[in-house]
Amino acid sequence: MLTGESRRGRGGDGLERPTGTREKILAQSLALFNARGLGRVTTAEIAAASGIREGNLQYHFPRKSGLVEALFSAFEVEAETVAGRMPADPAAPEALLAYQRGWFDLIWRYRCIYRDGIAMVEIAPALRPRVHALRARTQALARGVFEAAVRAGRLRIAPDALGRLIDNAWIVSSHWMSHRLQGSTELTQADLDWGFAQVSDLFAPYLVMDNPD
Amino acid sequence: MLTGESRRGRGGDGLERPTGTREKILAQSLALFNARGLGRVTTAEIAAASGIREGNLQYHFPRKSGLVEALFSAFEVEAETVAGRMPADPAAPEALLAYQRGWFDLIWRYRCIYRDGIAMVEIAPALRPRVHALRARTQALARGVFEAAVRAGRLRIAPDALGRLIDNAWIVSSHWMSHRLQGSTELTQADLDWGFAQVSDLFAPYLVMDNPD
DNA sequence: GTCTATATATAGATAGAC
DNA sequence: GTCTATCTATATATAGAC
């Protein structure tokens, strides 16, 4: 249980289907943060969107950083699930694309974490080591998936080059939003598709198109 | 001449060898912004570092955004020079590496622009269209350099794939800092080398190693 | 658990004396 | 051109009544 937050009897991350005030706050926060960025949403707005007063928001989340930490905790759980989802058939042409799609869906739902560069760790510095650790764990899981694709003959790449490719895919996956937001003020489905195509393109030179069987 | 700033008789961007108060302010601001990020440096600190009082800083730059805009203007001029520097021999193995090095040196000197994602355009919204336009101009210039490398037989890539490759190189070049800053609080030379290697790796699959002659 | 009302902190902008 | 002093805005945190 996180420090500085009220404890509740029931579990769940409370982001889908809000069942109480705390859950409602988290759901509304995520929506506002996704739309405008972590640094451009005030606690007053979150309270208003949640249908409560600021004092009550303070009761549930004494600090804005605690709110961000709670959202990150929910993301953390989902990220590890998505990263560890090994394709049934790593040789299938659509396997890696489906894996990437899983990541993009998750990132899109929690895009507030990614849209403003390092804003999250500046608002909630306690998250810095957790961000680092989560990246290490999920990248290791992703590497396992790509190595399976190499063994299945679907991907042709040397082990050290694979490490750099994964790092580049990580950077583009995580920062295409910032890149697009420098020119406009909001993200659309078209931006999402653009980002997906950019990441796909990173893998293109290493994909083996002909089935090796 | 930018609005909202004092006018001076002499020219120059005033970033190297400060010759007056305005130049000193700009040089100190760039150093502080590079070290800690645009959003984590106050006007009070800038005034102190420049050896003047806050009121005097207000005289030269009535708004913090004006300060950021002035720094961006200096960057803008240099960026266009660096992007347009066509290698003497586009077929030479070191030509593209030298071109990339030119960009990295520039980005490193103005790293405050890149280290915090979209922080700059949030502090100075007037820069949004200029960032967009500068990117379009410099990417077009870069494309010209890469197309010369293709014609020289140094790079083997289809025209549409080249566009996506340049976009990916742009994202990695611009955001490897944010990526590294999520785990630590400051950037080192080792980070710079890491970023350079990551971008180089993007081009590796398309490089023709054997001289076609 | 929720509210009202108030306090604190910080940054940035302003007015005017010198 | 530089200073002192003040002001406003915003955001976040606290105390205590209900």
Side-chain angles (χ1 to χ4, degrees):
Chain A
M1 199 104 290
L2 293 169
T3 51
E5 287 168 33
S6 72
R7 50 253 111 312
R8 297 293 300 272
R10 60 192 109 143
D13 61 43
L15 293 181
E16 66 287 301
R17 219 180 299 259
T19 56
T21 303
R22 183 189 155 91
E23 286 67 34
K24 182 134 199 164
I25 292 168
L26 286 169
Q28 293 295 323
S29 299
L30 183 60
L32 286 167
F33 287 153
N34 277 345
R36 302 218 306 279
L38 296 169
R40 293 179 76 88
V41 176
T42 67
T43 52
E45 289 173 303
I46 293 169
S50 306
I52 60 171
R53 299 293 181 175
E54 288 188 59
N56 192 10
L57 177 59
Q58 296 292 331
Y59 168 77
H60 288 283
F61 296 96
R63 254 157 287 277
K64 189 183 181 181
S65 59
L67 199 41
V68 174
E69 285 160 20
L71 290 172
F72 182 77
S73 295
F75 172 75
E76 222 167 19
V77 173
E78 293 202 58
E80 222 141 347
T81 304
V82 170
R85 199 183 290 150
M86 177 70 71
D89 177 13
E94 68 280 5
L96 292 182
L97 227 49
Y99 187 75
Q100 189 195 328
R101 184 64 70 188
W103 260 115
F104 263 68
D105 286 348
L106 179 63
I107 286 177
W108 185 249
R109 278 194 293 123
Y110 288 91
R111 59 191 174 279
C112 61
I113 292 177
Y114 291 96
R115 48 166 291 160
D116 304 316
I118 59 174
M120 184 179 69
V121 293
E122 303 231 302
I123 291 170
L127 288 181
R128 210 184 290 273
R130 287 171 64 188
V131 167
H132 196 72
L134 179 64
R135 181 154 77 215
R137 290 197 304 275
T138 48
Q139 278 202 17
L141 290 167
R143 189 180 176 106
V145 171
F146 293 122
E147 281 172 347
V150 169
R151 282 193 304 274
R154 177 85 185 119
L155 211 55
R156 196 192 327 268
I157 188 167
D160 57 332
L162 178 58
R164 292 192 294 270
L165 175 61
I166 291 174
D167 275 323
N168 276 333
W170 222 263
I171 293 176
V172 178
S173 300
S174 308
H175 296 280
W176 61 267
M177 294 183 210
S178 299
H179 187 253
R180 294 242 123 185
L181 280 169
Q182 280 176 340
S184 71
T185 51
E186 56 183 34
L187 293 166
T188 66
Q189 178 71 36
D191 292 306
L192 180 62
D193 294 340
W194 183 89
F196 191 84
Q198 286 300 123
V199 175
S200 301
D201 228 54
L202 291 174
F203 291 93
Y206 305 102
L207 279 180
V208 178
M209 294 322 265
D210 307 316
N211 202 307
D213 300 336
Chain B
M1 199 103 294
L2 294 169
T3 51
E5 285 168 34
S6 71
R7 50 254 86 67
R8 298 293 300 271
R10 60 190 107 142
D13 63 43
L15 292 181
E16 64 287 302
R17 218 180 299 261
T19 56
T21 303
R22 183 190 155 90
E23 286 67 33
K24 182 134 199 165
I25 292 167
L26 286 169
Q28 293 295 323
S29 298
L30 182 59
L32 286 168
F33 287 153
N34 277 346
R36 303 218 306 280
L38 296 169
R40 293 180 76 88
V41 176
T42 66
T43 52
E45 289 173 304
I46 293 168
S50 306
I52 60 171
R53 298 295 182 173
E54 288 189 61
N56 193 9
L57 177 59
Q58 296 293 331
Y59 168 77
H60 288 283
F61 294 96
R63 253 155 288 280
K64 190 184 182 181
S65 59
L67 199 41
V68 175
E69 285 161 19
L71 290 172
F72 182 78
S73 294
F75 171 75
E76 221 167 19
V77 172
E78 293 202 58
E80 221 141 348
T81 304
V82 170
R85 200 184 287 150
M86 177 69 73
D89 176 13
E94 68 280 5
L96 293 182
L97 227 50
Y99 187 74
Q100 189 195 330
R101 183 64 72 188
W103 258 114
F104 263 68
D105 286 348
L106 178 64
I107 286 176
W108 185 249
R109 279 194 292 123
Y110 288 91
R111 59 191 174 280
C112 60
I113 292 177
Y114 291 95
R115 48 167 292 159
D116 304 315
I118 58 173
M120 184 179 70
V121 292
E122 303 233 299
I123 290 172
L127 288 181
R128 209 184 289 273
R130 287 171 64 188
V131 168
H132 196 72
L134 179 64
R135 182 154 78 215
R137 289 197 304 276
T138 49
Q139 277 202 17
L141 289 167
R143 190 179 176 107
V145 171
F146 292 122
E147 281 173 348
V150 170
R151 281 193 304 273
R154 178 83 186 120
L155 213 53
R156 194 189 333 264
I157 188 168
D160 58 332
L162 178 58
R164 292 193 295 268
L165 175 60
I166 291 175
D167 275 324
N168 275 334
W170 222 263
I171 293 175
V172 178
S173 300
S174 309
H175 295 280
W176 62 267
M177 294 184 210
S178 300
H179 187 252
R180 295 241 122 187
L181 280 169
Q182 280 176 341
S184 71
T185 51
E186 56 184 34
L187 293 166
T188 66
Q189 178 70 35
D191 291 306
L192 180 63
D193 295 339
W194 183 88
F196 191 84
Q198 286 299 122
V199 175
S200 300
D201 228 53
L202 290 174
F203 291 93
Y206 304 102
L207 279 180
V208 179
M209 295 322 265
D210 307 316
N211 203 307
D213 300 335

